[in-house]
Amino acid sequence: MEVDFSKIEYIAFDADDTLWVNETYFREAEEAFASLLEGYETKNKIDQELFKKEMDNLALYGYGVKGFMLSMIESAMEISNGRVSLEVLDKIIGIGKKMINHPVELLDGVEEVLKTLSPKYHVMVVTKGDLLDQERKLEKSGLAQYFHHVEVLSEKKETNYSNLLEHLRIPAEKFLMIGNSLKSDVLPIVNIGAQAIHIPFHTTWQHEMVQGDHASDTYLSLDSIRGVLKYL
Amino acid sequence: MEVDFSKIEYIAFDADDTLWVNETYFREAEEAFASLLEGYETKNKIDQELFKKEMDNLALYGYGVKGFMLSMIESAMEISNGRVSLEVLDKIIGIGKKMINHPVELLDGVEEVLKTLSPKYHVMVVTKGDLLDQERKLEKSGLAQYFHHVEVLSEKKETNYSNLLEHLRIPAEKFLMIGNSLKSDVLPIVNIGAQAIHIPFHTTWQHEMVQGDHASDTYLSLDSIRGVLKYL
């Protein structure tokens, strides 16, 4: 695609799986969860039931580890037909606490990119999920110094972005979003007249998958975050 | 005290127990929790253990219903010495879901005050807790139309307020905070050179209690939110 970023003044980075590893820990947690319940169901069925529970609870709990913990607990009780032991439930809580306490692993090239861009643009983080958890990850990441603003949203739909730009008084044509999720970081952004760069992460949560083909003449897709330096 | 609000241009309201009932539902949940576990311990001991668990988990889970649910589950397993039934755990999860789904009950006078002040000041909500939960309550409250800005913080300490004012470019002397918690809404605000009005709610969470006397010549204390209209 022909990209023109000459009007861009504000660059927002998604956090999870754009700046640092996240989805991998959820996959590992799901593996551990399935192992704990292997006496009751096949791994496939356990995965499906947990995902279904997460989706049922999403409107209630939102994104983040605490809601995931509660969904694991509820699923374990159902998958086992009320036979799961308290020891297993205790281990499930342990899986969640380990996730919250996990060290932050930056993705390759992130610090170099932020160091280069932060003196030239208004650089910010726009992420969704649990407020405390995201603030804690940002602090642990050592990246906080590069960001002029940090915004944690409860959802990343068009209206959330429109409200954010209005609130920060940023014209859409000056705004560029960089992230790993087509559904959350790219398509809604393009739809409100701003620009987006898609940098896929090797693992995508089922809930973030997008059906069908998407014309990439409306956004740039790159293999690695380092690639943005060729354009910005 | 002699108050002078003539420089105030921005008025921030705390949400829980300032605009709407909140703490009451936590007290009711604690009652229900204690009833479920009455076979194992005295009510007093159950209350103490749950509060202790909440405090142990606070740095990890932050404020809000989901963390409270996880603390109840962990407490139930410990208080019962690993004997609590899954039926009881399921009921505990039900207590939490009921809290999340609870209708919003506005406190007396709130709508009148917001209707009067919102055309004359930049009126905002500054609350802490779970992002999604607070956004949902604001929407259910029917009050969203009165607020120019909504900020959910992970904590309400001096630095959180200083960062917020800096980010919104509001000079401290133009900022007034109105809330029910001396610890979270009043003392840190007075300490950063802004003004505060304290409107106590009949129930205060133990964690929000402040030790010692506090000179009320640095802030105004009122019985009801309606009282602010005499000053603003």
Side-chain angles (χ1 to χ4, degrees):
Chain A
M1 108 184 245
E2 291 289 323
V3 287
D4 176 6
F5 293 139
S6 59
K7 284 187 189 159
I8 297 302
E9 294 177 21
Y10 299 83
I11 302 177
F13 289 85
D14 168 57
D16 291 339
D17 303 318
T18 297
L19 301 179
W20 50 65
V21 178
N22 176 63
E23 201 49 33
T24 310
Y25 310 143
F26 277 89
R27 288 297 89 75
E28 287 169 4
E30 285 162 13
E31 294 282 331
F33 177 77
S35 297
L36 288 171
L37 296 175
E38 65 186 358
Y40 302 107
E41 273 294 354
T42 62
K43 171 153 180 10
N44 243 342
K45 181 75 177 167
I46 294 170
D47 282 351
Q48 279 171 29
E49 291 294 313
L50 177 56
F51 180 68
K52 188 173 171 301
K53 182 60 75 181
E54 286 180 84
M55 291 304 101
D56 288 348
N57 283 335
L58 191 58
L60 210 58
Y61 296 155
Y63 299 97
V65 177
K66 284 178 289 181
F68 180 64
M69 290 169 76
L70 290 165
S71 289
M72 282 196 289
I73 293 168
E74 293 173 43
S75 278
M77 299 203 284
E78 289 179 20
I79 289 167
S80 69
N81 267 314
R83 288 176 294 149
V84 70
S85 69
L86 293 190
E87 287 72 27
V88 165
L89 292 186
D90 197 50
K91 282 181 185 162
I92 288 171
I93 291 170
I95 291 172
K97 289 191 171 180
K98 194 178 144 197
M99 290 174 83
I100 296 175
N101 283 319
H102 205 293
V104 169
E105 290 176 77
L106 294 188
L107 292 177
D108 186 45
V110 162
E111 186 138 26
E112 182 191 333
V113 166
L114 292 175
K115 203 175 277 180
T116 309
L117 297 182
S118 71
K120 300 195 278 180
Y121 296 89
H122 289 88
V123 175
M124 61 182 92
V125 174
V126 177
T127 181
K128 71 182 175 191
D130 187 80
L131 185 61
L132 178 65
D133 207 33
Q134 294 293 0
E135 287 181 357
R136 182 165 30 211
K137 284 194 268 190
L138 189 63
E139 196 178 318
K140 285 200 235 172
S141 74
L143 299 176
Q145 55 181 312
Y146 298 116
F147 299 109
H148 294 79
H149 181 68
V150 176
E151 189 79 29
V152 182
L153 301 170
S154 62
E155 259 296 358
K156 279 182 156 180
K157 297 189 192 290
E158 287 175 36
T159 48
N160 305 93
Y161 284 116
S162 300
N163 290 341
L164 176 67
L165 293 191
E166 194 186 315
H167 156 53
L168 296 176
R169 298 186 200 103
I170 300 175
E173 66 271 20
K174 297 186 177 178
F175 187 76
L176 168 67
M177 179 83 203
I178 298 175
N180 72 298
S181 171
L182 262 190
K183 181 179 173 183
S184 296
D185 303 318
V186 175
L187 300 179
I189 287 291
V190 169
N191 286 342
I192 64 164
Q195 288 188 278
I197 298 179
H198 183 218
I199 304 170
F201 188 64
H202 53 74
T203 309
T204 304
W205 186 28
Q206 205 176 332
H207 177 65
E208 294 291 326
M209 303 275 196
V210 183
Q211 300 290 322
D213 291 335
H214 288 277
S216 64
D217 59 341
T218 52
Y219 60 88
L220 185 66
S221 197
L222 298 173
D223 288 339
S224 142
I225 201 167
R226 262 207 194 88
V228 306
L229 296 181
K230 273 184 252 162
Y231 298 89
L232 295 165
Chain B
M1 108 181 246
E2 290 290 324
V3 288
D4 176 6
F5 294 138
S6 60
K7 285 187 188 158
I8 297 302
E9 294 178 19
Y10 299 83
I11 302 177
F13 289 86
D14 169 56
D16 290 339
D17 303 317
T18 297
L19 301 179
W20 50 65
V21 179
N22 176 64
E23 201 51 33
T24 310
Y25 310 143
F26 277 88
R27 288 296 89 74
E28 287 169 4
E30 285 163 13
E31 293 281 329
F33 177 77
S35 297
L36 287 171
L37 296 175
E38 65 186 357
Y40 303 107
E41 275 293 354
T42 62
K43 173 154 178 11
N44 244 342
K45 180 76 176 166
I46 294 170
D47 282 352
Q48 278 171 29
E49 290 296 312
L50 176 57
F51 181 68
K52 188 172 172 299
K53 181 60 75 181
E54 286 181 85
M55 290 304 100
D56 289 348
N57 283 335
L58 192 58
L60 210 59
Y61 296 153
Y63 300 97
V65 178
K66 284 178 289 181
F68 180 63
M69 290 169 76
L70 289 165
S71 290
M72 282 196 288
I73 293 168
E74 293 173 41
S75 278
M77 299 203 285
E78 290 177 20
I79 289 167
S80 69
N81 266 315
R83 287 174 297 149
V84 70
S85 68
L86 293 191
E87 287 72 26
V88 165
L89 292 185
D90 197 51
K91 282 181 186 162
I92 289 172
I93 291 170
I95 291 172
K97 289 191 170 179
K98 194 178 145 198
M99 291 173 84
I100 296 174
N101 283 318
H102 206 292
V104 169
E105 289 177 77
L106 294 189
L107 293 178
D108 186 46
V110 162
E111 187 139 26
E112 182 191 333
V113 167
L114 292 175
K115 205 175 274 179
T116 309
L117 297 182
S118 70
K120 300 195 276 178
Y121 297 89
H122 288 87
V123 175
M124 60 182 94
V125 174
V126 177
T127 181
K128 71 183 174 189
D130 188 81
L131 185 61
L132 178 65
D133 206 32
Q134 294 294 358
E135 286 181 358
R136 182 166 28 213
K137 284 194 268 190
L138 188 64
E139 195 178 320
K140 284 200 238 173
S141 74
L143 299 176
Q145 56 181 312
Y146 298 116
F147 300 109
H148 293 78
H149 182 68
V150 176
E151 189 80 28
V152 182
L153 301 171
S154 62
E155 258 297 358
K156 277 180 157 181
K157 298 188 191 290
E158 287 175 36
T159 48
N160 306 92
Y161 284 115
S162 300
N163 290 342
L164 176 67
L165 294 191
E166 193 187 316
H167 156 53
L168 296 176
R169 297 187 200 103
I170 300 175
E173 66 270 21
K174 296 185 179 179
F175 187 77
L176 168 68
M177 179 82 203
I178 298 175
N180 72 297
S181 170
L182 262 190
K183 181 178 172 183
S184 296
D185 303 318
V186 176
L187 300 180
I189 287 291
V190 169
N191 287 341
I192 64 165
Q195 287 189 276
I197 298 179
H198 183 219
I199 304 170
F201 188 64
H202 53 74
T203 309
T204 303
W205 186 27
Q206 206 177 329
H207 176 64
E208 295 291 326
M209 303 276 196
V210 184
Q211 301 289 324
D213 290 336
H214 289 277
S216 65
D217 59 340
T218 53
Y219 61 87
L220 186 65
S221 197
L222 298 174
D223 288 338
S224 141
I225 200 165
R226 261 205 197 90
V228 306
L229 296 181
K230 274 183 253 164
Y231 298 89
L232 295 165

